[in-house]
């Protein structure tokens, strides 16, 4: 089981890196699906089969498909891929990447150096247990999530209703200069 | 949940129902005035319901929330501020062509999020409260989308807030990993046996400080503040500067009191550096600005630095000072942004220094109120700001934090310059007689002018006779077991 965990975790990290570095949006999204599936496997090996199923159904299933539909409607062409490529020059990302790598190394050192408690036997948390927790002690948390969604929907409704196109001032200046 | 739970959560429930009611009313009949009245009434009702709970020592709704004197005081402060901001919003939004009604739903929900923050004792409720607050603010910041800067401000706030939330979550995960619990009390128990922080736990706290520091806009997590303050509508700016920061600060105090974070020198060192950097960066950057909203943004960064000085005292006087200063800061900031909102037109906010030239001759009363607010921010005697700063200094001296105290005094002097600069501009004789601004019906303005008058009276009242407020704060802290123990 431990080996499965490590393989799935490695796949998740690799596919997420691929999501960031792809020039073509659709390719990036397909890697995102892989990343979600890998995370689902991680959940499964840690004893949360219900969470794994939710991850597949909601994230990989519903959300990414929605994003893919939107991108297909945007009608991306080869030009957009080219522009993506121009934006993602090594000069842009090498500096931050090196600094982040240093931080990552520190974090890895901290996690490795810490005397972590020995992992207990994996206990499967099934749907019934999740349901009992959510509608038992954490009922207020569920209600707060509902409020969170309300805020998101009302905000999205208001911001999405506008027809007027507003351009960022930097872009405006550039287009005026060109 | 028992009936008692409902009773103790009454203020939060009223806000929730208000948001739903407004939504239903909008579906039936769009009317700005009606929606505004519903919002104001529900804020008042929620505030009054707090008096029903007066005397509650500590009522835990396991495992997520706790209602105690501290929570009641902070909820009261948040609700009163939200009420004042909604009063200021009416005249401001009445002149906009945009659909205005959704603004009140989002305002109510954001206030609810801030209230959840100050009552939470669990990482889950902490995060949910913070997200309710942030998600409402994303939309509020870019509410007037026809304006040039609103999209920029909204996107900046969205990306940085989401990024800081990720840090906060990672930090929580590390803390959970090393302590095995997500309740504040559980973390305190796990930490009580440790003489010093293990590296992993420290990393977790460090990442959480990033998330919290972003919300408080302290240096070095302050980059978003001037742009967002400038791009957001003036009442929303007032909300971001007061309610959102107050809620997070209340949470920070509760968490630190519970886990006794003050006995770890590493954490104290981090906060000391952050406090000094915030004071200096805020004040020095404000000196160069020509935009009133940006000046107030940088000034709010430095004020958070002052607040951290009192917070670092870590004892009862320190917490009293933080709370008192927060009240003074709320009154003053809402007053200052309220004036900006009152003077703003449809196309843009009155944010350039030029807009204030000769204000005293055009609108003497508004100019007087604005002057009082700026003097209070600078900490001139007879204003709430002075007593607050005095309290903070007392807390610092009391715990012999000489470095912080000296920095605070030094920064107060620097700060004086740019507040006086705005006042000087207001008192200049205007060169040319300008066209008098198109005024709206007086009935629209009554709420705004009344609110500003109330704020000005409160400002002087707290400045001249602070004893009543101090007494109230002391009573409230008596009700908090973690504080009484020190």
């Amino acid at each position: 089981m431990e080996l499965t965990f490590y393989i799935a975790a490695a796949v998740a990290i690799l596919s997420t890196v691929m999501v960031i570095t792809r020039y073509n949006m659709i390719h990036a999204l397909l890697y995102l699906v892989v990343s979600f599936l890998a995370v689902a496997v991680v959940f499964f090996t840690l004893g949360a089969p219900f969470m794994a199923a939710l991850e597949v159904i909601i994230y990989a299933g519903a959300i990414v498909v929605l994003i893919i539909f939107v991108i297909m409607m945007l009608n991306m062409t080869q030009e957009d891929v080219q522009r993506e490529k121009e934006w993602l020059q090594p000069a842009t990302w090498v500096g931050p990447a090196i600094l982040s790598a240093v931080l990552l190394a520190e974090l890895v050192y901290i996690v490795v150096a810490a005397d972590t408690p020995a992992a207990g036997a994996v206990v499967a948390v099934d749907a019934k247990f999740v349901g009992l927790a959510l509608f038992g002690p954490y009922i207020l948390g569920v209600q707060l999530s509902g409020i969170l969604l309300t805020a998101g929907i009302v905000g999205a409704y208001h911001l999405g209703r506008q027809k007027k196109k507003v351009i960022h001032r930097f872009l405006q200046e550039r287009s005026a200069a060109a | 949940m028992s009936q008692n739970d409902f009773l103790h959560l009454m203020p939060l429930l009223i806000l929730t129902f208000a948001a739903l009611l407004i939504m239903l009313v909008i579906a039936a009949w769009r009317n700005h005035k009606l929606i505004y009245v519903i919002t104001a009434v529900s804020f008042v009702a929620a505030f009054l319901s707090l008096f029903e709970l007066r005397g509650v020592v500590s009522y835990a709704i396991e495992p997520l929330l706790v209602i105690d004197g501290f929570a009641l005081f902070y909820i009261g402060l948040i609700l009163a501020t939200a009420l004042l901001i909604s009063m200021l919003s009416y005249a401001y939004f009445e002149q906009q062509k945009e659909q205005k009604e959704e603004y009140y739903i989002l305002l109510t929900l954001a206030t609810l999020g801030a209230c959840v923050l100050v009552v939470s004792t669990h990482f889950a409720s902490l995060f949910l409260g913070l997200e309710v607050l942030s998600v409402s603010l994303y939309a509020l910041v870019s509410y007037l989308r026809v304006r040039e800067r609103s999209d920029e401000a909204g996107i900046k706030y969205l990306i940085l807030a989401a990024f800081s939330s990720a840090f906060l979550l990672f930090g929580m995960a590390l803390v959970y990993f090393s302590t095995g619990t997500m309740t504040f009390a559980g973390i305190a128990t796990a930490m009580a046996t440790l003489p010093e922080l293990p590296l992993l736990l420290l990393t977790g706290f460090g990442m959480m400080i990033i998330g919290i520091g972003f919300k408080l806009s302290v240096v070095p997590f302050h980059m978003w503040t001037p742009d967002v303050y400038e791009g957001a509508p003036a009442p929303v700016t007032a909300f971001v500067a007061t309610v959102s920061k107050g809620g997070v600060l209340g949470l920070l105090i509760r968490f630190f009191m519970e886990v006794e974070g003050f006995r770890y020198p590493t954490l104290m060192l981090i906060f000391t550096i952050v406090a000094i950097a915030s004071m200096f960066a805020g004040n020095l950057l404000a000196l160069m600005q020509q935009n009133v909203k940006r000046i107030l943004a940088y000034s709010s960064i430095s004020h958070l630095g002052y607040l951290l000085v009192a917070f670092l005292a870590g004892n009862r006087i320190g917490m009293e000072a933080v709370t008192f200063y927060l009240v003074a800061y709320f009154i003053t900031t809402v007053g200052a942004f309220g004036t900006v909102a009152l003077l703003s037109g449809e196309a843009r906010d009155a944010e350039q220094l030029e807009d204030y030239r000769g204000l005293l001759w055009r609108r003497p009363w508004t100019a007087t109120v604005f002057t009082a607010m700026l003097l209070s921010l600078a900490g001139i005697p007879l204003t709430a700001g002075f007593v607050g700063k005095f309290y903070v200094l007392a807390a610092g001296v009391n715990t012999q934090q000489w470095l912080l105290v000296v920095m605070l005094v030094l920064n107060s002097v620097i700060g004086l310059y740019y507040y006086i600069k705005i006042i000087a501009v207001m008192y200049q004789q205007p060169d040319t007689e300008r066209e008098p601004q198109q005024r709206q019906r007086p009935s629209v303005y009554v709420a705004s002018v009344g609110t500003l008058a109330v704020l000005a009276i409160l400002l002087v009242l707290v400045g001249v006779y602070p004893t009543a407020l101090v007494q109230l704060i002391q009573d409230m802290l008596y009700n908090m077991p973690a504080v009484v123990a020190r």
Side-chain angles (χ1 to χ4, degrees):
Chain A
M1 212 56 167
E2 203 159 307
L3 187 67
T4 335
F5 169 81
Y6 283 115
I7 294 173
V11 171
I13 292 172
L14 272 181
S15 54
T16 313
V17 170
M18 296 296 265
V19 173
I20 305 169
T21 50
R22 286 315 86 190
Y23 299 126
N24 191 321
M25 281 263 224
I26 295 287
H27 296 179
L29 278 170
L30 290 178
Y31 276 112
L32 192 63
V33 175
V34 177
S35 161
F36 284 139
L37 292 178
V39 171
V41 175
V42 169
F43 278 136
F44 186 80
T45 56
L46 291 178
F50 183 59
M51 260 315 294
L54 284 186
E55 180 86 17
V56 173
I57 296 170
I58 297 177
Y59 285 90
I63 294 179
V64 174
V65 168
L66 210 63
I67 302 177
I68 289 180
F69 270 124
V70 170
I71 295 211
M72 278 160 70
M73 275 193 269
L74 289 180
N75 209 1
M76 307 293 256
T77 56
Q78 197 60 37
E79 275 173 44
D80 299 291
V81 177
Q82 277 304 323
R83 197 166 49 218
E84 243 352 271
K85 210 175 247 172
E86 281 163 28
W87 281 344
L88 206 66
Q89 297 290 341
T92 345
W93 57 262
V94 163
I98 291 175
L99 293 176
S100 309
V102 172
L103 286 180
L104 180 68
E106 273 190 64
L107 199 62
V108 168
Y109 167 74
I110 289 168
V111 173
V112 171
D115 42 344
T116 49
V122 172
V123 187
V125 180
D126 58 358
K128 187 180 169 191
F129 188 83
V130 174
L132 281 177
L134 283 185
F135 287 89
Y138 293 99
I139 180 77
L140 277 174
V142 176
Q143 286 162 349
L144 274 173
S145 319
I147 294 170
L148 178 63
L149 290 179
T150 314
I153 290 171
V154 172
Y157 162 72
H158 176 77
L159 295 181
R161 214 180 40 81
Q162 321 280 333
K163 289 208 183 72
K164 190 169 157 46
K165 183 119 182 82
V166 183
I167 305 172
H168 189 283
R169 61 191 158 110
F170 293 158
L171 294 181
Q172 222 163 14
E173 277 160 22
R174 191 182 299 167
S175 64
Chain B
M1 280 173 72
S2 69
Q3 202 178 353
N4 241 347
D5 290 355
F6 280 110
L7 192 69
H8 283 83
L9 284 178
M10 198 46 87
L12 305 187
L13 291 177
I14 291 177
L15 289 182
T16 316
F17 278 112
L20 296 178
L21 181 67
I22 295 171
M23 231 181 304
L24 289 176
V25 172
I26 288 178
W29 185 36
R30 256 185 199 281
N31 181 313
H32 186 201
K33 194 170 205 169
L34 177 68
I35 302 289
Y36 156 70
V37 170
I38 294 176
T39 314
V41 167
S42 48
F43 279 142
V44 171
F47 188 78
L48 290 180
S49 75
L50 290 174
F51 288 92
E52 203 59 23
L53 299 174
R54 203 172 35 178
V56 174
V57 176
S58 178
Y59 183 85
I61 300 170
E62 294 286 353
L64 293 179
L65 308 178
V66 66
I67 307 284
D68 52 14
F70 176 82
L72 289 181
F73 185 88
Y74 270 78
I75 292 181
L77 188 60
I78 287 169
L79 287 174
T81 315
L83 173 69
L84 292 172
I85 291 173
S86 68
M87 310 261 282
L88 290 167
S89 308
Y90 178 61
Y92 183 86
F93 280 99
E94 183 63 29
Q95 55 192 347
Q96 300 295 337
K97 291 200 181 67
E98 199 95 25
Q99 284 192 356
K100 325 148 168 104
E101 288 78 10
E102 283 84 5
Y103 170 82
Y104 295 94
I105 305 178
L106 293 169
L107 190 74
T108 320
L109 289 175
T111 313
L112 177 68
C115 291
V116 170
L117 276 181
V118 295
V119 294
S120 57
T121 55
H122 191 282
F123 279 168
S125 49
L126 185 170
F127 189 71
L128 283 169
L130 200 69
E131 284 302 295
V132 171
L133 178 63
S134 311
V135 169
S136 315
L137 279 178
Y138 301 153
L140 282 176
V141 164
S142 47
Y143 195 84
L144 297 175
R145 277 202 56 198
V146 282
R147 287 200 181 166
E148 190 187 356
R149 294 284 165 83
S150 74
D151 279 13
E152 182 189 342
I155 295 270
K156 259 181 194 157
Y157 194 72
L158 168 72
I159 291 178
L160 289 175
F163 205 60
S164 75
S165 289
F167 270 105
L168 187 67
L169 274 182
F170 200 168
M172 284 175 183
L174 288 179
V175 172
Y176 178 63
F177 177 65
S178 29
T179 60
T181 172
M182 288 207 279
T183 58
F184 293 179
I187 295 168
T189 324
M191 280 168 66
T193 51
L194 306 170
E196 61 183 78
L197 284 177
L199 211 48
L200 201 59
L201 196 55
L202 183 65
T203 317
F205 279 138
M207 290 197 169
M208 287 181 71
I209 289 173
I210 295 176
I212 298 288
F214 167 81
K215 281 279 164 212
L216 291 178
S217 76
V218 285
V219 178
F221 317 111
H222 66 290
M223 301 295 184
W224 58 279
T225 321
D227 290 335
V228 170
Y229 278 33
E230 190 189 349
V236 176
T237 315
F239 192 89
V240 176
T242 55
V243 173
S244 133
K245 288 185 187 177
V248 176
L249 201 67
L251 170 91
L252 188 68
I253 294 174
R254 182 186 290 285
F255 184 70
F256 257 68
M257 281 294 179
E258 194 88 51
V259 305
E260 293 192 32
F262 299 107
R263 60 192 182 103
Y264 301 104
T266 328
L267 289 181
M268 289 298 96
L269 180 69
I270 295 174
F271 274 106
T272 310
I273 294 170
V274 165
I276 293 176
S278 302
M279 287 192 275
F280 269 107
N283 278 322
L284 291 178
L285 289 171
L287 292 179
M288 279 84 117
Q289 298 302 324
Q290 291 298 318
N291 182 316
V292 174
K293 270 171 142 182
R294 289 182 89 91
I295 292 180
L296 289 173
Y298 284 118
S299 121
S300 88
I301 295 175
S302 62
H303 277 278
L304 260 295
Y306 302 153
L307 270 168
L308 285 182
V309 173
F311 173 75
L312 279 167
N315 54 12
R316 253 191 74 180
I317 298 180
M319 294 310 118
E320 279 172 35
V322 170
T323 312
F324 189 94
Y325 198 89
L326 207 60
V327 176
Y329 169 78
F330 272 29
I331 295 174
T332 323
T333 310
V334 174
F337 283 114
T339 321
V340 175
L342 187 68
L343 296 173
S344 296
E346 189 208 324
R348 62 184 196 90
D349 282 359
E351 52 189 15
Q352 298 300 325
L353 262 184
E354 213 41 46
D355 297 331
Y356 292 82
R357 192 171 296 284
L359 189 69
L360 186 75
W361 276 267
R362 281 183 286 138
R363 307 176 78 163
W365 284 106
T366 316
T368 314
V369 170
F370 199 35
T371 309
M373 296 303 163
L374 290 171
L375 289 179
S376 172
L377 281 173
I380 303 292
L382 289 186
T383 58
F386 170 73
V387 186
K389 211 168 261 181
F390 187 79
Y391 220 144
V392 169
L393 271 180
V397 172
N398 187 270
T399 45
Q400 278 104 40
Q401 308 198 44
W402 300 116
L403 177 68
L404 282 170
V405 168
V406 170
M407 292 299 157
L408 200 164
V409 174
L410 200 64
N411 273 287
S412 301
V413 179
I414 303 176
L416 206 56
Y417 173 78
Y418 58 85
Y419 296 124
I420 299 287
K421 190 168 83 177
I422 305 181
I423 296 176
V425 168
M426 282 198 295
Y427 281 63
Q428 273 169 12
Q429 193 77 45
D431 310 332
T432 50
E433 198 56 46
R434 266 212 233 163
E435 197 81 354
Q437 276 186 334
Q438 197 68 40
R439 293 270 200 112
Q440 290 180 309
R441 301 189 307 279
S443 64
V444 173
Y445 267 115
V446 167
S448 292
V449 173
T451 311
L452 282 182
V454 168
L455 283 166
I457 292 168
L458 273 178
L459 183 83
V460 177
L461 201 65
V462 173
V464 176
Y465 182 69
T467 327
L469 182 58
V470 172
Q471 192 62 44
L472 188 67
I473 292 172
Q474 278 174 348
D475 288 351
M476 156 296 273
L477 281 178
Y478 258 123
N479 275 349
M480 195 178 176
V483 182
V484 177
R486 332 189 121 244

